[in-house]
Amino acid sequence: MKTKIAVAKGDGIGPEIMDAVLRIFNANDVQLDYEFVEMGKSYFDAGHSTGMTDQAKEAIEKYGILFKGPMETPKGKGVKSINVTARKVWNTYANQRDFKTLNGVETVFSKAGIKIDMTIVRENIEDTYGGIEHMITNDVAVGRRIITRPGSAQVIKYAFEMAKRKGYKKVFCGHKANIMKLTDGLFLETFYDIAKNYPEIQASDIIVDDLCMKLVSHPEIFQVLVLPNLQGDIVSDLCAGLIGGLGFAPSANIGDNISIFEAVHGTAPDIAGKNIANPTALLLSGISMLRYLGFTGHAATIENALLYTLEQGIHTGDFGNRSTPSANTTAFADAIIANLGKHPAIGGAFAQPNFECKTNMDFEPAKNKMTESEPNVKTEIAGVDLFVESTLQPKELAELAKTKLNEKFQIVMLSNRGTQVWPTGSIYTELVNQYRIRFEKTHTTLTQKDVLHLAADISEVVRVCSVEFLMIFDGKLGYSLAQGQ
Ligand code: NAI
């Protein structure tokens, strides 16, 4: 029985490269049954802000697999990227990108004889990608960066499991916990918690700026890296550059129920419709999908045919030896088809037998899954940060706020752009028209109402932009200190 998957060809070069890849799959007799679904530009243009048809949503949720070409998100129409939405809505929490030196694709590293073989696992749902942003004064934009314990645990566990499966000995966590002590700090803490379950794998962490420097000077050090979303996004494009560009970078978005396989490049509108696009990245993503579905034999045969073709110097216009004529998309796919069964001289995959194929989804969840790491944590309110709009000097604002203070609170500090400016600070710190006033409890136990009443009282003398509770969880501070505090 064939395995059914949903296929969205995408926009721009999407249909050309998807047709090329499916032709290669069919030539190798891969037992897949495709349901083509409508998503992307045409559907946005028709006025549907979700960018997909109900039939597309139904098919993807039914089969659990979406193989997709690149899609265009219309600019300036207030719609969210279909690519990001799809990853978030279906909780494909791990974005896996494999970066391997490809013989025939010349880079500074291949010329220097440095072999690259690494996998980046990027958290795919959280971080700044929630897009929760507000202008809280006319001059000040604020974005929420969300890192959660269950979300971090999911992706970190995936990275360790993947490393174990592939026999890798070391997993690095990239982060910026030295600056973002609570958000990246939580990601890092979770990393070492999960690592305890994998004693056979060495766990190490590296600050992301140091990581970037080492990736360009010694990329051979790294095998598996796991990172939060935004840092993972940037670092994985850096790694694509190490192996020859986005045209050679596959991407798998893995979730427990639904997974999405796609190329990481865009719709390349400049070359769309010309039959000259390079289908390699989509083909490599398709090969990861075949492995994921259990078609390991087909995956190895097709990967070997691709590597053999690259070794022969056959190339599309965007890479390879400029002194030899380039093949168009159709001819490049034809060459791979003609090379099915051949092996590259260097590297190459073992022709493993097919595993038992992952069957299509056989259950439908009845409700959204709620994840909570420790339900019985003791929480306590320690105070509140009120973010207010003001052009007063720090001392004047502190005096004004004191006029509305009640006995349950004291003002401990004011900060501006995260830097403490009252009770101590420097006259050289430049200000913007938005302050944080930190109130801490005096003796009493605080309730939510106490905090909101205080906010209401303060709002009588200054505009309150937002209210952030200061919490303590099992005795541990749940808020950061200001710089200089
Ligand atoms: P792009 O990746 O489409 O193009 C950048 C450059 O790379 C262009 O010169 C293009 O010709 C070239 N290129 C890309 N893929 C190629 C291929 N397979 N073969 C040969 N050359 C290739 O990036 P751009 O121009 O920033 O974005 C264009 C559109 O794609 C936008 O609407 C964007 O939203 C969308 N996009 C979609 C993605 C997805 O569906 N996952 C990812 C990135 C962008």
Side-chain angles (χ1 to χ4, degrees), residues 345-395:
I346 301 174
F350 297 109
Q352 302 119 318
N354 288 336
F355 295 144
E356 195 182 325
C357 290
K358 180 181 151 74
T359 48
N360 291 140
M361 302 253 289
D362 52 4
F363 77 100
E364 240 181 81
K367 55 182 184 179
N368 294 93
K369 188 173 152 197
M370 172 59 69
T371 52
E372 191 178 17
S373 61
E374 287 170 49
N376 299 320
V377 157
K378 186 173 171 285
T379 57
E380 184 187 336
I381 301 173
V384 61
D385 278 346
L386 293 185
F387 293 81
V388 302
E389 178 171 0
S390 174
T391 51
L392 292 175
Q393 284 295 304
K395 188 164 177 287

Side-chain angles (χ1 to χ4, degrees), residues 44 69 142-143 194 314 360 398 400 482:
F44 277 123
V142 171
I194 301 279
I314 297 168
N360 291 140
L400 186 65

Side-chain angles (χ1 to χ4, degrees), residues 58-122:
E58 222 169 83
I60 295 160
E61 293 188 353
K62 186 159 148 207
Y63 307 136
I65 297 286
L66 170 64
F67 187 31
K68 69 177 277 293
M71 286 170 194
E72 183 183 325
T73 303
K75 290 193 183 79
K77 290 192 183 170
V79 290
K80 297 219 172 191
S81 156
I82 179 82
N83 304 303
V84 177
T85 303
R87 289 172 211 154
K88 287 170 67 78
V89 166
W90 289 311
N91 204 49
T92 63
Y93 53 80
N95 176 246
Q96 179 178 335
R97 288 169 68 178
D98 301 322
F99 303 96
K100 259 189 192 172
T101 301
L102 295 168
N103 203 20
V105 181
E106 215 167 67
T107 66
V108 279
F109 296 101
S110 68
K111 281 190 202 159
I114 297 170
K115 202 165 163 273
I116 295 168
D117 183 1
M118 73 180 130
T119 297
I120 293 196
V121 179
R122 156 188 167 197

Side-chain angles (χ1 to χ4, degrees), residues 16-29 34 275 283 302 328-335 337 340:
E16 299 159 53
I17 55 174
M18 184 60 83
D19 287 345
V21 169
L22 297 187
R23 231 158 34 80
I24 297 168
F25 283 4
N26 292 340
N28 194 230
D29 205 20
Y34 312 116
N275 192 30
L283 180 59
I302 296 171
N328 65 22
T329 313
T330 311
F332 189 73
D334 286 343
I337 291 170
L340 286 167

Side-chain angles (χ1 to χ4, degrees), residues 98-369:
D98 301 322
F99 303 96
K100 259 189 192 172
T101 301
L102 295 168
N103 203 20
V105 181
E106 215 167 67
T107 66
V108 279
F109 296 101
S110 68
K111 281 190 202 159
I114 297 170
K115 202 165 163 273
I116 295 168
D117 183 1
M118 73 180 130
T119 297
I120 293 196
V121 179
R122 156 188 167 197
E123 197 287 315
N124 220 11
I125 310 283
E126 308 188 335
D127 203 334
T128 46
Y129 287 70
I132 307 172
E133 300 192 316
H134 299 94
M135 291 293 297
I136 63 173
T137 79
N138 186 44
D139 284 348
V140 180
V142 171
R144 285 216 161 202
R145 179 162 193 258
I146 296 174
I147 302 282
T148 71
R149 205 183 298 275
S152 304
Q154 252 180 343
V155 66
I156 292 165
K157 186 161 177 266
Y158 176 82
F160 275 98
E161 282 294 324
M162 190 271 302
K164 190 168 143 186
R165 231 180 18 252
K166 291 193 173 180
Y168 290 130
K169 296 280 171 275
K170 192 164 184 175
V171 176
F172 278 96
C173 172
H175 63 88
K176 192 78 185 166
N178 52 330
I179 302 296
M180 292 174 279
K181 293 186 169 38
L182 292 187
T183 47
D184 271 22
L186 179 58
F187 193 80
L188 185 59
E189 181 186 319
T190 310
F191 173 77
Y192 282 114
D193 276 350
I194 301 279
K196 288 184 199 140
N197 303 323
Y198 300 87
E200 71 281 21
I201 298 174
Q202 197 187 333
S204 204
D205 70 277
I206 181 162
I207 292 176
V208 70
D209 33 354
D210 186 25
L211 170 65
C212 288
M213 193 265 292
K214 292 210 167 78
L215 278 170
V216 270
S217 58
H218 293 290
E220 71 282 6
I221 303 175
F222 302 101
Q223 290 185 315
V224 179
L225 275 157
V226 59
L227 294 120
N229 204 343
L230 179 61
Q231 296 161 29
D233 189 7
I234 297 165
V235 169
S236 50
D237 268 22
L238 184 156
C239 291
L242 302 178
I243 52 120
L246 290 182
F248 301 95
S251 167
N253 301 288
I254 308 287
D256 288 338
N257 301 315
I258 296 171
S259 296
I260 303 171
F261 295 82
E262 61 181 339
V264 282
H265 58 69
T267 58
D270 50 334
I271 57 167
K274 296 183 179 160
N275 192 30
I276 57 171
N278 179 1
T280 305
L282 188 63
L283 180 59
L284 286 167
S285 304
I287 291 170
S288 333
M289 177 181 73
L290 294 184
R291 289 211 168 91
Y292 181 81
L293 288 170
F295 296 110
T296 45
H298 291 290
T301 306
I302 296 171
E303 186 173 347
N304 286 335
L306 166 68
L307 296 177
Y308 181 88
T309 306
L310 294 174
E311 266 184 10
Q312 299 302 300
I314 297 168
H315 63 93
T316 47
D318 54 313
F319 76 102
N321 185 346
R322 306 279 152 166
S323 64
T324 60
S326 54
N328 65 22
T329 313
T330 311
F332 189 73
D334 286 343
I336 296 171
I337 291 170
N339 290 332
L340 286 167
K342 297 196 174 137
H343 285 263
I346 301 174
F350 297 109
Q352 302 119 318
N354 288 336
F355 295 144
E356 195 182 325
C357 290
K358 180 181 151 74
T359 48
N360 291 140
M361 302 253 289
D362 52 4
F363 77 100
E364 240 181 81
K367 55 182 184 179
N368 294 93
K369 188 173 152 197

